[in-house]
Amino acid sequence: MKTINDFDFKNKKALIRVDFNVPLDENFNVTDATRIEAAKPTIDKILADGGSVILMSHLGRPKGIDRKYSLGHIVKKASEILGQTVYFSPDCIGAEAEKAVNNIQPGQILLLENLRFYAEEEAGDVDFAKKLASLGDIYVNDAFGTAHRAHASTTIIAQFFPKDKCFGLLLAKEIESLNKVLKDSQKPVTAVLGGSKVSSKITVIENILDKVDHMIIGGGMTFTFVKALGGKIGDSICEDDKQELALEILRLAREKGVQIHIPVDVIAANAFSKDADTQVVDVRKIPDGWQGLDAGPKSLENFKKVILESKTILWNGPLGVFEMDKFANGTIELGNFIAEATENGAFSLVGGGDSVAAVKQFGFEDKVSYVSTGGGAMLEMLEGKILPGIAAILD
Ligand code: AMP
């Protein structure tokens, strides 16, 4: 796996696909600069080598040229974070981009305008990719969030750099971390899958049954399993048409020797509300009019034992409706168990939109081994797919 550390960028123009798709407020201020910060190590190494940096990214989902989605909005923030002026080209290809690229000196940074102003980007157009490719000497992909898309700048472009292409440090770290869970994992391996629905996680569950020793199933998914097993789930969320599938997963797990752990008790509420009355009940005996919104104390005790015995832990999805304080305890406690296991030497990877939000909200970011930034891309890797953006560099 070639990374930027395998290249000397002195007097080279590095064309880097970054993910600067950051959230903006109504005045076009960057409200969360995590993604820009995440690209800094790669940019710094290239500048330190004496190379110049040309950044390309998408922002939002513009239909054609629409300056509301201009990457120009983030130039000030990017300059602040990267510690020097970030120059901006109001086009990502053509004469204007070429001129801007020619003006850039070693040690300087240029940001190209939103790639998605051209429909060719998402279409994976070869001519468009070739035009982009003409702007740099070495292609670097550091955008994990779009690695599962065969877009011009993420995948197609790589063919124009048969030897001079590599991963940025962020993307390399993502791949390495996922491989530590999926390929060269230390046993026992435990996956915690929470969130709302079985249907959105089913391919992940099926794929990782081959790779884990324990699977903790929590969150709203719990109730589809419990109902399928004959329990009474009251008004809890449930996908009735997935009950057969739930039983099939349990059967497969038995066959593969994977131990499945489902909550035995839950915090039930008489409404889906932060002001609801609550009680702890057996997960199989939830009264009508009540719904399970978080894992109960006995369940957490069981989960703790499993987590503390694990050497590798993957966490995707909250154990309850953590957005409401009353139902956040399970998710927070799980974070504590994983933090403790990590401190004792386990490798822990957290990923998937809502678990990342939970980890940040409750301050676990520095207590787990790695927090993955690419929601969709990570899920596809967990599903066992080969991501086109990664394959194009390895090719
Ligand atoms: P997902 O996007 O599938 O990972 O689901 C995350 C969402 O699942 C969060 O917004 C949680 O509030 C929600 N969730 C977790 N547990 C439950 C539950 N027991 N009932 C309803 N929603 C839940």
Side-chain angles (χ1 to χ4, degrees):
M1 192 167 98
K2 266 205 234 170
T3 75
I4 54 167
N5 290 330
D6 297 304
F7 287 84
D8 181 1
F9 287 87
K10 191 172 172 53
N11 294 323
K12 299 281 189 200
K13 289 188 159 76
L15 184 61
I16 316 178
R17 177 55 159 100
V18 287
D19 180 3
F20 281 3
N21 183 29
V22 292
L24 301 174
D25 65 16
E26 64 281 7
N27 297 316
F28 302 111
N29 296 307
V30 177
T31 54
D32 181 354
T34 311
R35 286 176 171 165
I36 304 176
E37 282 154 10
K40 190 171 170 3
T42 292
I43 295 169
D44 283 349
K45 136 83 183 165
I46 292 168
L47 295 176
D49 274 4
S52 46
V53 163
I54 301 155
L55 301 171
M56 49 182 181
S57 177
H58 74 284
L59 177 67
R61 299 177 176 276
K63 297 200 168 46
I65 296 176
D66 179 351
R67 299 288 166 194
K68 204 175 118 197
Y69 296 97
S70 174
L71 277 166
H73 300 309
I74 74 153
V75 164
K76 200 168 135 246
K77 191 73 189 174
S79 303
E80 234 171 81
I81 290 170
L82 300 173
Q84 67 183 78
T85 306
V86 171
Y87 296 93
F88 182 65
S89 164
D91 203 345
C92 62
I93 53 164
E96 214 152 6
E98 282 161 27
K99 198 174 121 206
V101 166
N102 286 333
N103 283 335
I104 282 294
Q105 301 302 312
Q108 294 184 333
I109 307 172
L110 173 72
L111 173 64
L112 303 176
E113 181 57 290
N114 196 343
L115 294 159
R116 291 198 186 161
F117 283 0
Y118 292 86
E120 289 89 336
E121 163 64 359
E122 288 185 87
D125 184 83
V126 178
D127 283 334
F128 178 71
K130 194 172 178 186
K131 285 179 192 155
L132 289 172
S134 73
L135 301 174
D137 304 313
I138 301 172
Y139 169 66
V140 179
N141 191 351
D142 210 17
F144 185 57
T146 48
H148 58 317
R149 307 279 183 225
H151 294 168
S153 70
T154 62
T155 301
I156 311 303
I157 190 170
Q159 64 190 272
F160 299 106
F161 300 88
K163 290 214 169 63
D164 297 325
K165 58 183 175 180
C166 60
F167 295 111
L169 299 176
L170 175 66
L171 184 43
K173 190 86 200 274
E174 291 274 1
I175 298 169
E176 215 177 87
S177 302
L178 273 157
N179 281 345
K180 272 196 195 166
V181 172
L182 297 175
K183 287 197 176 139
D184 343 293
S185 51
Q186 268 197 296
K187 285 176 163 289
V189 184
T190 297
V192 186
L193 295 173
S196 52
K197 290 180 175 168
V198 182
S199 51
S200 60
K201 303 268 161 86
I202 181 62
T203 334
V204 172
I205 295 178
E206 283 171 347
N207 182 50
I208 61 177
L209 274 180
D210 284 324
K211 320 200 187 286
V212 304
D213 305 293
H214 298 272
M215 188 179 285
I216 293 175
I217 291 180
M221 268 194 284
T222 306
F223 307 102
T224 303
F225 283 87
V226 172
K227 188 168 176 188
L229 289 167
K232 241 181 100 256
I233 61 164
D235 293 353
S236 306
I237 186 175
C238 179
E239 290 171 282
D240 279 327
D241 60 331
K242 295 290 178 290
Q243 288 186 56
E244 277 301 315
L245 194 63
L247 294 176
E248 174 64 12
I249 290 170
L250 295 177
R251 198 188 57 74
L252 269 176
R254 250 194 321 272
E255 203 179 286
K256 294 175 193 281
V258 178
Q259 288 193 47
I260 302 260
H261 309 270
I262 299 177
V264 291
D265 58 352
V266 288
I267 311 291
N270 61 356
F272 188 87
S273 155
K274 67 176 178 39
D275 304 317
D277 292 333
T278 61
Q279 57 172 325
V280 177
V281 294
D282 184 320
V283 75
R284 294 161 307 175
K285 296 177 188 156
I286 304 176
D288 287 338
W290 292 73
Q291 51 188 302
L293 294 182
D294 195 10
K298 280 199 201 111
S299 313
L300 293 175
E301 231 171 85
N302 296 344
F303 296 167
K304 180 175 185 178
K305 203 161 158 282
V306 177
I307 297 280
L308 290 184
E309 281 169 8
S310 304
K311 286 269 170 290
T312 304
I313 302 157
L314 167 75
W315 178 18
N316 176 279
L319 282 193
V321 183
F322 73 98
E323 297 92 336
M324 299 183 209
D325 287 347
K326 267 191 179 161
F327 313 110
N329 180 58
T331 301
I332 295 174
E333 280 296 282
L334 178 73
N336 284 329
F337 306 154
I338 296 178
E340 191 177 332
T342 309
E343 209 179 300
N344 295 340
F347 178 80
S348 55
L349 170 63
V350 183
D354 272 310
S355 10
V356 175
V359 160
K360 282 189 178 173
Q361 185 178 327
F362 304 126
F364 290 118
E365 254 175 314
D366 300 325
K367 298 182 183 160
V368 296
S369 310
Y370 194 71
V371 180
S372 173
T373 55
M378 175 180 161
L379 281 179
E380 288 200 15
M381 270 185 89
L382 293 178
E383 285 171 358
K385 293 188 187 143
I386 296 173
L387 309 191
I390 294 175
I393 300 277
L394 297 176
D395 205 10

